[in-house]
C-alpha cells in the first residue's frame, strides 16, 4: 500500500520535468549554435575586408616610374626642345624674346593648371564639356589617391597624373606661339595663354580624356594627344595668325632661319 502512492506521486511530476529538461536542452543547443555562427561571422569580417582591400587596384611601380620619365621627357620637349626649334627659325635679334616667351608661357600654364586647370579638366562631377571645381588648388588630392587609365584595373598615383597632364597643357599653349613669333608683345602672349587655356584647352581636355567627357562618350580614344594637343594647337595657331596678321614687309624680304643647328637640335628633342 505504501508503494503505489509513492510510485504515482513520483510518476506524475516526472513527465513534466522530463519535457522541461528537453526544452531547456534544445534551447541551450540552439543558443550555442547561434552564438558559434555569430562568432564565426564576426571573425570572418576582417578577412572579407582584407579581400575587398586586396581587390582594389593599386599603382604599379613600373607604370609609375614610366609616367614620371614621360613627364620629364615632355618637359625636355618644351625647354630646351621647342625653345631651340622656334628660336632657331627666327632672326637673331628675336631669338631671346621667343625663347623667353616659350619658357614663361609654359611656367604660367603650369601655375594655372594646379590652381584651377586640373579641376576643370579632371575634377569630380561636372558635365560633358567641363568638370566640377571640387579639386580647386588640388583640394582632396593626397599621396594615396589614384587616377584611372585607359586600361581597366590599372591606376597611377594622382600626383603623377597631375604632373603628366600639366606638361601637356604647357607644351600645347607654347606650340601656338610658333604662328605669332616676332609679332606679339610679352604681355599679350601671357594674356592670350590665360584666356585660351581657360576657354579652349581645359574643356577640350575634359571632353576627350575625362570619363564623362563628350568625345570620350562617343568612343574617341586619344592616347598621344593628337586631338587635345596637336589638332587643338594647330587650329588655335591658324586663328591667332589670322587675327594678328602678316608682317609689314611680308613678301618684300626673306625671313631666313638664323641658326639651322638650333632648329635641328630642337626638332630632334621634339621627335624623341
Amino acid at each position: 500500500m505504501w508503494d503505489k502512492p509513492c510510485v504515482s506521486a513520483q510518476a506524475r511530476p516526472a513527465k513534466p520535468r522530463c519535457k522541461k529538461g528537453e526544452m531547456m536542452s534544445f534551447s541551450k543547443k540552439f543558443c550555442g549554435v547561434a552564438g558559434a555562427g555569430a562568432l564565426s561571422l564576426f571573425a570572418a569580417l576582417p578577412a572579407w575586408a582584407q579581400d575587398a582591400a586586396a581587390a582594389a587596384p593599386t599603382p604599379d611601380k613600373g607604370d609609375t616610374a614610366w609616367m614620371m620619365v614621360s613627364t620629364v621627357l615632355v618637359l625636355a620637349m618644351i625647354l630646351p626642345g621647342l625653345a631651340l626649334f622656334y628660336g632657331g627659325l627666327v632672326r637673331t635679334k628675336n631669338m631671346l624674346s621667343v625663347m623667353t616667351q616659350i619658357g614663361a608661357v609654359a611656367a604660367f600654364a603650369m601655375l594655372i593648371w594646379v590652381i584651377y586647370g586640373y579641376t576643370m579638366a579632371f575634377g569630380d562631377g561636372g558635365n560633358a564639356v567641363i568638370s566640377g571645381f571640387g579639386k580647386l588648388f588640388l583640394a582632396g588630392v593626397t599621396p594615396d589617391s589614384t587616377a584611372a587609365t585607359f586600361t581597366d584595373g590599372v591606376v597611377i598615383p594622382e600626383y603623377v597624373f597631375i604632373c603628366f597632364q600639366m606638361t601637356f597643357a604647357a607644351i600645347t599653349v607654347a606650340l601656338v606661339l610658333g604662328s605669332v613669333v616676332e609679332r606679339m608683345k610679352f604681355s599679350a602672349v601671357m594674356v592670350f595663354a590665360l584666356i585660351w587655356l581657360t576657354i579652349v584647352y581645359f574643356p577640350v581636355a575634359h571632353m576627350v580624356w575625362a570619363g564623362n567627357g563628350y568625345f570620350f562618350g562617343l568612343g574617341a580614344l586619344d592616347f598621344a594627344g593628337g586631338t587635345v594637343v596637336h589638332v587643338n594647337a594647330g587650329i588655335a595657331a591658324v586663328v591667332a595668325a589670322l587675327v594678328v596678321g602678316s608682317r609689314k614687309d611680308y613678301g618684300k624680304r626673306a625671313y631666313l632661319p638664323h641658326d639651322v643647328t638650333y632648329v635641328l637640335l630642337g626638332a630632334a628633342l621634339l621627335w624623341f
Side-chain angles (χ1 to χ4, degrees):
M1 293 178 64
W2 290 102
D3 294 339
K4 291 182 179 180
C6 291
V7 172
S8 61
Q10 293 177 358
R12 289 178 181 175
K15 292 183 179 179
R17 287 180 183 175
C18 183
K19 291 183 178 180
K20 185 176 181 181
E22 290 179 357
M23 293 180 63
M24 293 180 63
S25 177
F26 175 76
S27 61
K28 288 181 179 179
K29 290 180 180 180
F30 178 78
C31 293
V33 172
L39 289 175
S40 61
L41 178 64
F42 284 112
L45 287 177
W48 293 345
Q50 291 178 0
D51 294 340
T58 57
D60 181 76
K61 293 181 180 180
D63 296 337
T64 303
W66 177 244
M67 290 300 299
M68 295 174 68
V69 172
S70 301
T71 302
V72 175
L73 290 176
V74 178
L75 285 175
M77 292 172 63
I78 305 172
L79 292 172
L82 192 62
L84 290 175
F85 181 71
Y86 284 167
L89 287 172
V90 299
R91 291 174 291 179
T92 304
K93 67 176 184 178
N94 292 322
M95 179 178 179
L96 182 60
S97 64
V98 171
M99 296 182 71
T100 302
Q101 288 179 2
I102 293 175
V105 79
F108 188 46
M110 294 177 187
L111 291 175
I112 298 174
W113 177 258
V114 298
I115 294 173
Y116 65 86
Y118 178 70
T119 189
M120 286 184 63
F122 301 102
D124 299 328
N127 49 45
V129 178
I130 194 173
S131 187
F133 287 86
K135 293 187 177 181
L136 196 66
F137 286 92
L138 304 185
V141 180
T142 65
D144 297 328
S145 58
T146 59
T149 63
F150 285 122
T151 304
D152 294 335
V154 178
V155 297
I156 59 175
E158 191 170 10
Y159 274 124
V160 176
F161 178 74
I162 292 171
C163 293
F164 181 69
Q165 290 291 343
M166 177 184 66
T167 58
F168 271 86
I171 195 173
T172 304
V173 68
L175 285 171
V176 181
L177 299 183
S179 66
V180 292
V181 289
E182 301 180 321
R183 286 174 292 165
M184 284 186 68
K185 294 181 179 180
F186 181 82
S187 58
V189 168
M190 302 303 284
V191 172
F192 166 78
L194 176 65
I195 298 175
W196 185 80
L197 286 171
T198 303
I199 67 176
V200 178
Y201 180 83
F202 298 151
V204 172
H206 173 76
M207 289 188 288
V208 175
W209 281 329
N212 60 338
Y214 176 75
F215 294 114
F216 188 87
L218 295 178
L221 295 177
D222 186 1
F223 294 101
T227 304
V228 180
V229 178
H230 302 99
V231 174
N232 200 10
I235 295 176
V238 172
V239 174
L242 293 175
V243 172
V244 173
S246 60
R247 294 177 175 87
K248 294 180 179 180
D249 50 358
Y250 175 75
K252 299 179 181 180
R253 57 174 299 181
Y255 290 90
L256 301 177
H258 88 279
D259 198 322
V260 180
T261 303
Y262 287 164
V263 177
L264 293 177
L265 182 59
L269 289 173
L270 289 170
W271 177 83
F272 179 76

